[in-house]
Amino acid sequence: MPADTVSPGPLWAAMYHSVADPSDDPYQVTVSPARLERQLRWLRRRGLTGVGMERLLRARARGHGAGLVGLTFDDGYADFLECAVPLLRAYGFTATVFVLPGRLGGTNEWDRPGPRKDLLTEDGVRAAAAAGMEIGSHGLRHTDLTRADDGLLAVETGRSRELLRTLTGAEVTGFCYPYGTVDARVIRAVRAAGYTYACAISPGPLTGMFALPRVHVGERDTGPRLRLKRRLHRWRREPVPAAEYAAYADTLAGAGGRTGL
């Protein structure tokens, strides 16, 4: 399908964080492995396939992807490799994990109060990539970019991409805004850093290829709740404009094989 005739339809992308025991989590962003497996099974039974964001966007830019669901895991917790990756592979799914290259091997010190959780190490990031998962940037150190000055903003976006590219040996095309906070200045910085897309949560009128909307998925999300969230998603969030997919398709055509797209 030519880029200028792409019909975007509703974009469905799920936002996860940690996959572990959710009992001690004041932020309710932890999903147990058992719950995650039930959610993945729910997708499979409906003929849906979980994929990383780059694959989802690539398919949609070409007029396909109706049966694809974007799966994203923010913060780069070590339990992504330990708990999520085996389940994803068992169902033939992939996902994007957005990591913090300035905190590799550290903990989620930005979450206070709350339990300390280990983050992926350099070896862990490489192992996730080797397992077929997309590696994206979550900035360097989980900073609210809307409050960062221009210098820090450039480092959080550009330097984090350089570090991950060196670490994985592959292009890093996706960015995810810490805390989901985004404004026009931050979007310009992400574009200038060389990313081709970025994920937010509910960016409102800013929705586009550099502020993609996502739905939070938690421990309480059973099949009926997931079905309801999917229905409400198209009403609560702005659709990605068709022109944005056309521009993304042009990016794919121009990049050829150089970026891995």
Short mmCIF file of all heavy atoms in Angstrom, two decimals, residues 132-174:
data_model
loop_
_atom_site.label_atom_id
_atom_site.label_comp_id
_atom_site.label_asym_id
_atom_site.label_seq_id
_atom_site.Cartn_x
_atom_site.Cartn_y
_atom_site.Cartn_z
N GLY A 132 15.87 -11.54 20.95
CA GLY A 132 14.95 -11.00 19.96
C GLY A 132 14.15 -9.81 20.42
O GLY A 132 13.22 -9.38 19.73
N MET A 133 14.50 -9.26 21.59
CA MET A 133 13.77 -8.11 22.10
C MET A 133 14.38 -6.81 21.58
O MET A 133 15.59 -6.70 21.42
CB MET A 133 13.77 -8.11 23.64
CG MET A 133 13.27 -9.42 24.24
SD MET A 133 11.57 -9.81 23.76
CE MET A 133 11.61 -11.61 23.74
N GLU A 134 13.53 -5.83 21.35
CA GLU A 134 14.01 -4.51 20.92
C GLU A 134 14.48 -3.73 22.14
O GLU A 134 13.82 -3.70 23.17
CB GLU A 134 12.90 -3.74 20.22
CG GLU A 134 13.33 -2.34 19.77
CD GLU A 134 12.19 -1.47 19.30
OE1 GLU A 134 11.04 -1.96 19.27
OE2 GLU A 134 12.44 -0.29 19.00
N ILE A 135 15.63 -3.09 22.01
CA ILE A 135 16.17 -2.25 23.08
C ILE A 135 15.94 -0.79 22.72
O ILE A 135 16.37 -0.31 21.66
CB ILE A 135 17.69 -2.49 23.28
CG1 ILE A 135 17.97 -3.99 23.46
CG2 ILE A 135 18.19 -1.69 24.45
CD1 ILE A 135 17.30 -4.62 24.65
N GLY A 136 15.24 -0.08 23.60
CA GLY A 136 15.01 1.34 23.41
C GLY A 136 15.56 2.12 24.59
O GLY A 136 15.92 1.55 25.62
N SER A 137 15.62 3.42 24.45
CA SER A 137 16.14 4.29 25.51
C SER A 137 15.02 4.88 26.35
O SER A 137 13.98 5.29 25.83
CB SER A 137 16.97 5.43 24.91
OG SER A 137 17.34 6.35 25.92
N HIS A 138 15.28 4.93 27.65
CA HIS A 138 14.38 5.59 28.61
C HIS A 138 15.06 6.81 29.21
O HIS A 138 14.74 7.25 30.30
CB HIS A 138 14.03 4.59 29.71
CG HIS A 138 12.74 4.88 30.43
ND1 HIS A 138 11.68 5.55 29.87
CD2 HIS A 138 12.34 4.57 31.71
CE1 HIS A 138 10.69 5.63 30.74
NE2 HIS A 138 11.07 5.06 31.87
N GLY A 139 16.04 7.33 28.43
CA GLY A 139 16.89 8.39 28.95
C GLY A 139 18.06 7.78 29.71
O GLY A 139 18.20 6.56 29.79
N LEU A 140 18.89 8.62 30.28
CA LEU A 140 20.05 8.12 31.01
C LEU A 140 19.71 7.66 32.42
O LEU A 140 20.06 6.56 32.84
CB LEU A 140 21.13 9.21 31.10
CG LEU A 140 22.13 9.31 29.96
CD1 LEU A 140 23.06 10.49 30.22
CD2 LEU A 140 22.92 8.03 29.80
N ARG A 141 18.97 8.50 33.18
CA ARG A 141 18.82 8.23 34.60
C ARG A 141 17.40 8.43 35.12
O ARG A 141 17.18 8.69 36.29
CB ARG A 141 19.79 9.10 35.41
CG ARG A 141 21.25 8.84 35.09
CD ARG A 141 22.17 9.67 35.95
NE ARG A 141 21.99 9.42 37.37
CZ ARG A 141 22.51 8.37 38.02
NH1 ARG A 141 23.27 7.50 37.37
NH2 ARG A 141 22.30 8.21 39.31
N HIS A 142 16.42 8.33 34.24
CA HIS A 142 15.01 8.47 34.61
C HIS A 142 14.71 9.88 35.12
O HIS A 142 14.20 10.09 36.23
CB HIS A 142 14.59 7.43 35.65
CG HIS A 142 13.12 7.08 35.58
ND1 HIS A 142 12.14 7.90 36.08
CD2 HIS A 142 12.48 6.01 35.05
CE1 HIS A 142 10.95 7.35 35.89
NE2 HIS A 142 11.12 6.20 35.24
N THR A 143 14.99 10.86 34.27
CA THR A 143 14.80 12.27 34.58
C THR A 143 13.53 12.79 33.91
O THR A 143 13.24 12.45 32.76
CB THR A 143 16.01 13.08 34.07
OG1 THR A 143 17.18 12.62 34.73
CG2 THR A 143 15.82 14.57 34.31
N ASP A 144 12.77 13.61 34.62
CA ASP A 144 11.63 14.29 34.03
C ASP A 144 12.17 15.30 33.03
O ASP A 144 12.69 16.36 33.41
CB ASP A 144 10.79 14.98 35.11
CG ASP A 144 9.54 15.67 34.55
OD1 ASP A 144 9.46 15.86 33.31
OD2 ASP A 144 8.66 16.03 35.35
N LEU A 145 12.08 15.00 31.76
CA LEU A 145 12.72 15.82 30.74
C LEU A 145 12.05 17.17 30.56
O LEU A 145 12.68 18.11 30.07
CB LEU A 145 12.75 15.06 29.41
CG LEU A 145 13.50 13.73 29.44
CD1 LEU A 145 13.50 13.10 28.06
CD2 LEU A 145 14.93 13.92 29.94
N THR A 146 10.81 17.31 30.95
CA THR A 146 10.14 18.60 30.82
C THR A 146 10.71 19.61 31.81
O THR A 146 10.49 20.81 31.68
CB THR A 146 8.62 18.47 31.04
OG1 THR A 146 8.35 17.99 32.36
CG2 THR A 146 8.01 17.53 30.01
N ARG A 147 11.45 19.12 32.82
CA ARG A 147 12.07 20.00 33.80
C ARG A 147 13.58 20.15 33.61
O ARG A 147 14.24 20.85 34.37
CB ARG A 147 11.80 19.48 35.21
CG ARG A 147 10.32 19.42 35.57
CD ARG A 147 10.11 18.95 36.99
NE ARG A 147 8.69 18.93 37.35
CZ ARG A 147 8.23 18.61 38.56
NH1 ARG A 147 9.08 18.28 39.52
NH2 ARG A 147 6.93 18.62 38.79
N ALA A 148 14.12 19.48 32.60
CA ALA A 148 15.56 19.53 32.34
C ALA A 148 15.91 20.74 31.49
O ALA A 148 15.13 21.15 30.62
CB ALA A 148 15.99 18.25 31.64
N ASP A 149 17.10 21.32 31.74
CA ASP A 149 17.54 22.40 30.87
C ASP A 149 17.99 21.81 29.54
O ASP A 149 18.08 20.59 29.37
CB ASP A 149 18.64 23.23 31.53
CG ASP A 149 19.91 22.44 31.86
OD1 ASP A 149 20.25 21.50 31.10
OD2 ASP A 149 20.56 22.75 32.87
N ASP A 150 18.29 22.66 28.58
CA ASP A 150 18.59 22.19 27.23
C ASP A 150 19.81 21.28 27.19
O ASP A 150 19.83 20.29 26.44
CB ASP A 150 18.80 23.38 26.29
CG ASP A 150 17.51 24.14 26.01
OD1 ASP A 150 16.42 23.60 26.34
OD2 ASP A 150 17.58 25.26 25.48
N GLY A 151 20.83 21.59 27.99
CA GLY A 151 22.04 20.77 28.00
C GLY A 151 21.76 19.37 28.51
O GLY A 151 22.18 18.38 27.91
N LEU A 152 21.06 19.28 29.64
CA LEU A 152 20.73 17.97 30.21
C LEU A 152 19.80 17.21 29.29
O LEU A 152 19.94 15.99 29.12
CB LEU A 152 20.09 18.15 31.58
CG LEU A 152 19.65 16.86 32.30
CD1 LEU A 152 20.84 15.93 32.49
CD2 LEU A 152 19.00 17.19 33.63
N LEU A 153 18.88 17.91 28.67
CA LEU A 153 17.95 17.27 27.74
C LEU A 153 18.69 16.62 26.58
O LEU A 153 18.39 15.47 26.18
CB LEU A 153 16.95 18.30 27.22
CG LEU A 153 15.88 17.82 26.24
CD1 LEU A 153 15.07 16.68 26.83
CD2 LEU A 153 14.97 18.99 25.87
N ALA A 154 19.69 17.31 26.05
CA ALA A 154 20.48 16.76 24.93
C ALA A 154 21.25 15.52 25.36
O ALA A 154 21.36 14.54 24.62
CB ALA A 154 21.42 17.83 24.39
N VAL A 155 21.77 15.54 26.58
CA VAL A 155 22.53 14.38 27.09
C VAL A 155 21.60 13.20 27.33
O VAL A 155 21.90 12.06 26.96
CB VAL A 155 23.27 14.76 28.38
CG1 VAL A 155 23.86 13.52 29.05
CG2 VAL A 155 24.38 15.76 28.09
N GLU A 156 20.46 13.45 27.97
CA GLU A 156 19.53 12.37 28.29
C GLU A 156 19.00 11.68 27.04
O GLU A 156 18.75 10.47 27.06
CB GLU A 156 18.35 12.92 29.11
CG GLU A 156 18.69 13.26 30.54
CD GLU A 156 18.76 12.02 31.43
OE1 GLU A 156 18.15 10.99 31.06
OE2 GLU A 156 19.42 12.08 32.48
N THR A 157 18.86 12.41 25.97
CA THR A 157 18.34 11.82 24.74
C THR A 157 19.47 11.30 23.84
O THR A 157 19.50 10.12 23.49
CB THR A 157 17.48 12.83 23.97
OG1 THR A 157 18.23 14.05 23.76
CG2 THR A 157 16.23 13.18 24.77
N GLY A 158 20.40 12.17 23.49
CA GLY A 158 21.45 11.79 22.56
C GLY A 158 22.49 10.85 23.13
O GLY A 158 22.84 9.84 22.50
N ARG A 159 22.99 11.14 24.32
CA ARG A 159 24.03 10.30 24.92
C ARG A 159 23.50 8.91 25.24
O ARG A 159 24.20 7.91 25.06
CB ARG A 159 24.58 10.98 26.18
CG ARG A 159 25.68 10.20 26.89
CD ARG A 159 26.87 9.96 25.98
NE ARG A 159 27.95 9.30 26.68
CZ ARG A 159 28.94 8.63 26.06
NH1 ARG A 159 28.96 8.55 24.74
NH2 ARG A 159 29.89 8.06 26.77
N SER A 160 22.26 8.82 25.71
CA SER A 160 21.70 7.51 26.03
C SER A 160 21.61 6.65 24.78
O SER A 160 21.87 5.44 24.82
CB SER A 160 20.32 7.66 26.69
OG SER A 160 19.37 8.20 25.80
N ARG A 161 21.26 7.25 23.66
CA ARG A 161 21.19 6.49 22.41
C ARG A 161 22.58 6.01 21.99
O ARG A 161 22.75 4.85 21.56
CB ARG A 161 20.57 7.36 21.31
CG ARG A 161 20.42 6.65 19.98
CD ARG A 161 19.55 7.46 19.02
NE ARG A 161 19.37 6.74 17.77
CZ ARG A 161 19.99 7.04 16.63
NH1 ARG A 161 20.82 8.09 16.57
NH2 ARG A 161 19.78 6.33 15.54
N GLU A 162 23.58 6.87 22.11
CA GLU A 162 24.93 6.48 21.74
C GLU A 162 25.43 5.32 22.59
O GLU A 162 26.03 4.37 22.08
CB GLU A 162 25.88 7.68 21.91
CG GLU A 162 25.63 8.81 20.93
CD GLU A 162 26.47 10.04 21.27
OE1 GLU A 162 27.29 9.93 22.21
OE2 GLU A 162 26.29 11.08 20.62
N LEU A 163 25.18 5.38 23.89
CA LEU A 163 25.65 4.32 24.79
C LEU A 163 24.98 2.98 24.46
O LEU A 163 25.64 1.94 24.45
CB LEU A 163 25.37 4.71 26.24
CG LEU A 163 26.21 5.84 26.81
CD1 LEU A 163 25.71 6.24 28.20
CD2 LEU A 163 27.68 5.42 26.88
N LEU A 164 23.68 3.00 24.21
CA LEU A 164 22.98 1.76 23.91
C LEU A 164 23.38 1.21 22.54
O LEU A 164 23.47 -0.01 22.35
CB LEU A 164 21.46 1.97 23.97
CG LEU A 164 20.89 2.21 25.36
CD1 LEU A 164 19.40 2.52 25.28
CD2 LEU A 164 21.13 0.99 26.25
N ARG A 165 23.64 2.08 21.61
CA ARG A 165 24.08 1.64 20.29
C ARG A 165 25.45 0.96 20.38
O ARG A 165 25.67 -0.08 19.77
CB ARG A 165 24.13 2.83 19.33
CG ARG A 165 24.47 2.47 17.89
CD ARG A 165 24.18 3.63 16.95
NE ARG A 165 24.74 4.88 17.44
CZ ARG A 165 24.49 6.05 16.88
NH1 ARG A 165 23.68 6.15 15.86
NH2 ARG A 165 25.05 7.16 17.36
N THR A 166 26.33 1.52 21.19
CA THR A 166 27.63 0.91 21.40
C THR A 166 27.51 -0.42 22.14
O THR A 166 28.18 -1.40 21.81
CB THR A 166 28.53 1.85 22.21
OG1 THR A 166 28.72 3.07 21.48
CG2 THR A 166 29.90 1.22 22.48
N LEU A 167 26.62 -0.47 23.11
CA LEU A 167 26.44 -1.67 23.92
C LEU A 167 25.87 -2.83 23.11
O LEU A 167 26.33 -3.97 23.24
CB LEU A 167 25.51 -1.35 25.10
CG LEU A 167 25.12 -2.51 26.02
CD1 LEU A 167 26.36 -3.11 26.69
CD2 LEU A 167 24.14 -2.02 27.08
N THR A 168 24.88 -2.56 22.28
CA THR A 168 24.19 -3.63 21.55
C THR A 168 24.75 -3.87 20.15
O THR A 168 24.49 -4.93 19.57
CB THR A 168 22.70 -3.32 21.43
OG1 THR A 168 22.51 -2.12 20.65
CG2 THR A 168 22.06 -3.12 22.81
N GLY A 169 25.44 -2.89 19.60
CA GLY A 169 25.92 -3.02 18.24
C GLY A 169 24.83 -2.84 17.21
O GLY A 169 25.00 -3.20 16.04
N ALA A 170 23.70 -2.29 17.63
CA ALA A 170 22.57 -2.08 16.73
C ALA A 170 22.03 -0.67 16.89
O ALA A 170 22.27 0.00 17.91
CB ALA A 170 21.46 -3.10 17.02
N GLU A 171 21.30 -0.21 15.87
CA GLU A 171 20.68 1.10 15.96
C GLU A 171 19.60 1.10 17.05
O GLU A 171 18.92 0.10 17.27
CB GLU A 171 20.06 1.51 14.63
CG GLU A 171 21.07 1.90 13.57
CD GLU A 171 21.86 3.14 13.92
OE1 GLU A 171 21.33 3.97 14.70
OE2 GLU A 171 22.98 3.29 13.43
N VAL A 172 19.46 2.22 17.73
CA VAL A 172 18.42 2.39 18.75
C VAL A 172 17.46 3.43 18.20
O VAL A 172 17.79 4.62 18.11
CB VAL A 172 19.03 2.83 20.09
CG1 VAL A 172 17.93 3.09 21.12
CG2 VAL A 172 20.00 1.78 20.60
N THR A 173 16.27 3.00 17.83
CA THR A 173 15.34 3.89 17.14
C THR A 173 14.21 4.39 18.02
O THR A 173 13.53 5.34 17.65
CB THR A 173 14.72 3.17 15.92
OG1 THR A 173 14.00 2.02 16.38
CG2 THR A 173 15.79 2.73 14.94
N GLY A 174 14.00 3.77 19.20
CA GLY A 174 12.88 4.14 20.04
C GLY A 174 13.27 4.79 21.35
O GLY A 174 14.28 4.42 21.96
#
